[in-house]
Every structure is written in C-alpha cells, then in structure tokens.
Amino acid sequence: MKNADIVIVGAGMVGSLLAALLKDSGLNILMLERSAVTAPAKDDAFEPRVSALTRASENLLRHAGAWEKVESLRACPYTEMTVWDADGSGRVQFSAGELGETHLGVLVENRLLQAALTEAATRAPNVELRCPAQMIELERLPDAWQLVLADGEKIRARLVIGADGAQSAVRQLTGIACTETDYGQRAIVTTVRTEKPHGFMARQRFMSTGPLAFLPLQGHDGDTHCCSIVWSQDETEAQRLLALDDEAFRRELGFAFEHTLGRIEWSDTRYSFPLRARHATDYVREGIALIGDAAHAVHPLAGQGVNLGLLDAAVLAEEILRAIERHIPWWSENTLARYSRRRRAHNALILNSMTGFRQLFASHNPLLVLARNAGLAATSRLLPLRQEFARVAMGLTGDLPAAARSV
Ligand SMILES: Cc1cc2nc3c(=O)[nH]c(=O)nc-3n(C[C@H](O)[C@H](O)[C@H](O)COP(=O)(O)OP(=O)(O)OC[C@H]3O[C@@H](n4cnc5c(N)ncnc54)[C@H](O)[C@@H]3O)c2cc1C
C-alpha cells in the first residue's frame, strides 16, 4: 500500500498551488486528479473558464514558480475597472495608476493556470501527480486516513486535503455539513470579439436581472478585441439566451452591454453554470482540511472565487511550514485550527457581502436604486474611496500570507 504524508484530492488551481507551495517542506505529497491536465497551446481558441486574478494571487503564483509559464503563453493584465448601474447614472471607475501600480489584476484561463501550477509542483521530487485518479472512499484509521481510488488502489496519509471543488467528495465522505443558497440564477460564459479594443479595462454592468461582465483577454499576437463574458440571469431567461442562434445572442448581448465596445462581431460556444453560494460549516476535521470551492463557493459577480481559494491554500501551506519549523506536528488539530481561524471568518464575510450586493442590485425599490446610485457616485468622486476599492480589487487588504504580499 502506498503511504504519503499529505494526499491532496483534486489538482485544480487551488490544490496544485498548495502542493507547489509545499515543495520545499520535505513532506511526501501526492495529488490525485480525476481529469486530464493539459495547457492550451498558444494559438488555441480561448478557454471558456477564465479567472480574474488579484495581484495577491499573482504574487502567490510567482512564489510557487508557475508565473513564467502563464506569462509565456497568454495572460491579460487589466489596468482599469468600471462598474455601473443599469437603473440610473451611478458609475465608479478606478485605475491602477491612481495607486502608482502597473495593473489591478490579470485575466488567465483556468486550464492554463492549473497546468502551470501542477507543472511547478511536480518539478519537486517529493510531489507526485496521479492523473487520472479518482478518490471514491475515505476511511479513518487510528492515526491516518485510508483513501480508496476508483481502480481499487488504497493509499494511506496523515493529512488529506479536500481541494476537490464544489461537489467535494472529501467534504461529503467526512460528514462535514454545508449551508447552501440557490440564487435561482445561471451564469452564461463565452468568449466574444468586439468591434472596439477593450483597452485593458474590466467592465461590469449591474442590471436588476443580474450582472454582466466583460473581462479583457489578450491573444499571443497582442490582439485586444476579445473578452470573456459572464452574464448572470434568472434560470428561465438564461435558458432562453442559451437557445438563441449566435447572431440573435450577439444582438441581445450588445444591447444589454449598451454597445460599450461597439458591435459584438463574433461569439464562441456558450456554456452555463448554476449559481449557488455554499459554505462548509467546518473547514477542518482530524487529519482533514478543506480548501477552495470544497470549502466555499461564491457568486462570480466580484470574481473572487479562485482568489479566495488560492489564499486558503497559501495560508494552509504557511501554517504547515510554520509547524515544521517549530517542531510541532504539522498534521495536528492545532495547526489545522489556525488555518481555519484565519480563513473561515474572512470567507464568510465575502460570501455574505456578495449575497447582499446581489440583492441590492436586484431591487427595483426606488429608494434602494437611489441609494446605490448615490453610493456609486460618491465613490467615484472621492479619491481615497476609489483607492480603497482598487486595493480591495487587487486583493492587497486583510490577513495575507507572506507569499501573497510581495514577490
Ligand atoms: C461562471 C463562473 C465564473 C467564475 N469567474 C471567476 C473569476 O473571474 N475569478 C475567480 O476568482 N473565480 C471565478 N469563478 C470561481 C472559480 O472558477 C472557482 O472558485 C475555482 O474553479 C475553484 O477552484 P478549485 O481548485 O477549488 O476547484 P475546481 O476548479 O472545481 O477543481 C477541483 C478539482 O478536483 C478534481 N476532483 C474532484 N473530485 C475528485 C475526486 N474525487 N478525485 C480526484 N479528483 C477530483 C476535479 O477534476 C478538479 O480538477 C467563477 C465561477 C463560475 C461558476
């Protein structure tokens, strides 16, 4: 039977960052991933799943040794961000320049990020990636966990990390409960080509039916006319939009976006995801820790999901390395509790504010419409407020692990 110090179930973006940050720990780390991991080629069409990484996340990727590969393929920094209310005149716009920074964040395709991180992690001799390998059972032994894979192989580990996404098998098999809010909405995602270049600006229009985001992408040839869109809509309206032919969809999309970037000239295949907020009631159990979407899933309106998950991975890595340095058991309840304390309350705050924010913008109540427009206008007028918004967007506030603060 194979033994490992740590088994990470799920080598998505979050699980593979944890492995990469633990590469010098001296621990024997095994990552299990059920689906193939491949990076898109330079001239492939853009992937439908894209993440807006904060500067804090970019720092983490640099620390993990994954940034070079991301940059060498394709990533799009964004220097400005604008958010406006469809039901009024409220608008806020802020730029990296106001803070003396080069950019606010970077748009990267999820598949590229995952491939770069697994590659960085497995460069270390103590990190192994098993793929395809699906964990299907978990059993508690006196001083370890035993994992059973779909092919019947058994593996023992002192610490098991659930980095296996929103439907986490680790969470379910260990009986960790989860609160769930169904927004009754679906996010439509696709890539579009617009008449005007995006100018490296991330744009979001808030409608009472849901937010519509245009996130800038950059081709390897420097083309800046493509955006990844995320359009959140009620279930029935989303199904109607998904069923439209390409031309009709582009017409409706252009209209909903007030033709801010001119005509929508081309659109790729549309995909959609149901929107649910989830939060595990506990992040840790004896010899178990949940990170990323296994622990929490948030509304994509602020593009926070993967950034929160990457911070979970970095804080857990920091606590494990701290315990090793101080000669205390890195798998102990204390070590895991320190991780949970640093992350759960913070993530709960983000989850609640995303839900509140969505409700605020979903309202037609004239007083609320007035209040949110006044709020946006005030933010837009006051430089310190705008700067604070920009710092939050860059992810450079709160209890950050050292690896997220600088390179
Ligand atoms: C429409 C939409 C748009 C979004 N946009 C953004 C954005 O702009 N910015 C942002 O920060 N976030 C965004 N998010 C959220 C973001 O995509 C997620 O937070 C992120 O994918 C979570 O990463 P993860 O590694 O925790 O989980 P996942 O990406 O779900 O990875 C889990 C991995 O575990 C593997 N796995 C699962 N079960 C097993 C098993 N039993 N055995 C072995 N392997 C297993 C899976 O194959 C997968 O590779 C968006 C989400 C949606 C729905």
Side-chain angles (χ1 to χ4, degrees):
M1 182 182 311
K2 179 157 176 82
N3 279 291
D5 291 320
I6 300 181
V7 170
I8 301 174
V9 183
M13 299 175 280
V14 172
S16 48
L17 174 70
L18 176 65
L21 292 176
L22 288 176
K23 62 182 188 295
D24 299 321
S25 62
L27 300 174
N28 194 315
I29 296 164
L30 175 65
M31 289 190 283
L32 303 175
E33 173 52 54
R34 64 179 175 197
S35 312
V37 180
T38 48
K42 256 187 176 173
D43 47 2
D44 277 357
F46 286 109
E47 287 288 307
R49 295 291 302 267
V50 166
S51 293
L53 296 182
T54 59
R55 293 293 296 276
S57 294
E58 182 187 326
N59 289 341
L60 290 175
L61 289 159
R62 287 183 194 276
H63 269 274
W67 193 247
E68 240 172 53
K69 175 159 180 132
V70 169
E71 268 194 321
S72 73
L73 284 168
R74 50 194 192 196
C76 183
Y78 59 98
T79 53
E80 287 181 87
M81 189 183 266
T82 183
V83 173
W84 73 101
D85 187 345
D87 282 352
S89 56
R91 174 186 288 269
V92 61
Q93 185 163 328
F94 47 92
S95 70
E98 286 175 345
L99 285 176
E101 295 283 344
T102 51
H103 56 291
L104 294 169
V106 183
L107 268 300
V108 185
E109 293 148 273
N110 290 6
R111 196 155 68 92
L112 167 53
L113 210 53
Q114 182 194 23
L117 280 164
T118 49
E119 198 182 295
T122 52
R123 254 182 253 139
N126 56 319
V127 180
E128 185 190 340
L129 169 66
R130 236 8 126 75
C131 178
Q134 183 176 6
M135 190 274 303
I136 55 166
E137 277 176 44
L138 253 182
E139 192 192 331
R140 184 69 193 153
L141 305 176
D143 59 354
W145 284 93
Q146 178 171 279
L147 300 95
V148 183
L149 307 192
D151 65 5
E153 185 183 352
K154 292 184 175 151
I155 299 166
R156 268 188 202 179
R158 237 189 186 142
L159 180 60
V160 174
I161 309 296
D164 47 349
Q167 304 296 336
S168 171
V170 174
R171 189 184 68 225
Q172 290 168 28
L173 291 169
T174 50
I176 299 180
C178 181
T179 56
E180 192 166 322
T181 312
D182 189 341
Y183 291 119
Q185 284 208 319
R186 191 162 272 277
I188 300 172
V189 297
T190 189
T191 309
V192 299
R193 193 180 164 77
T194 56
E195 188 185 356
K196 297 182 192 165
H198 51 59
F200 300 95
M201 182 187 277
R203 298 171 169 85
Q204 186 148 226
R205 180 177 188 235
F206 277 93
M207 295 169 271
S208 55
T209 48
L212 168 60
F214 271 57
L215 307 169
L217 298 173
Q218 183 168 219
H220 67 99
D221 55 356
D223 177 49
T224 59
H225 283 257
C226 283
C227 287
S228 167
I229 67 131
V230 184
W231 194 358
S232 306
Q233 282 284 356
D234 288 344
E235 190 63 47
T236 36
E237 177 61 1
Q239 294 301 349
R240 186 187 72 76
L241 291 168
L242 286 164
L244 292 176
D245 64 42
D246 286 351
E247 212 183 307
F249 175 75
R250 290 199 283 269
R251 220 176 17 248
E252 294 220 17
L253 178 64
F255 186 67
F257 199 54
E258 300 178 320
H259 303 108
T260 304
L261 292 173
R263 248 178 324 109
I264 312 285
E265 295 178 335
W266 171 85
S267 56
D268 206 345
T269 311
R270 279 157 262 161
Y271 297 86
S272 74
F273 305 89
L275 294 179
R276 288 193 187 96
R278 281 200 195 85
H279 205 192
T281 50
D282 296 295
Y283 283 12
V284 298
R285 277 269 195 285
E286 193 183 3
I288 297 282
L290 302 178
I291 56 176
D293 273 23
H296 47 76
V298 302
H299 196 290
L301 70 82
Q304 283 293 327
V306 79
N307 293 297
L308 296 182
L310 296 175
L311 284 173
D312 293 345
V315 169
L316 182 56
E318 194 167 84
E319 292 302 335
I320 291 173
L321 292 170
R322 175 184 180 274
I324 293 172
E325 204 182 293
R326 295 177 182 212
H327 306 288
I328 38 183
W330 48 266
W331 63 91
S332 73
E333 213 180 308
N334 265 348
T335 305
L336 300 184
R338 284 178 61 91
Y339 153 68
S340 176
R341 268 198 304 276
R342 286 180 66 186
R343 292 304 300 156
R344 197 173 181 284
H346 173 82
N347 291 339
L349 190 74
I350 302 280
L351 266 151
N352 292 338
S353 46
M354 288 307 115
T355 303
F357 210 56
R358 201 198 80 76
Q359 282 160 354
L360 177 65
F361 277 92
S363 177
H364 285 297
N365 177 326
L367 284 177
L368 279 181
V369 172
L370 198 68
R372 72 188 187 218
N373 274 287
L376 285 173
T379 308
S380 168
R381 272 195 307 272
L382 297 170
L383 182 65
L385 258 182
R386 276 209 316 276
Q387 287 176 328
E388 189 51 28
F389 251 84
R391 259 189 290 273
V392 171
M394 289 195 292
L396 296 175
T397 55
D399 169 18
L400 290 178
R405 274 183 240 133
S406 62
V407 206

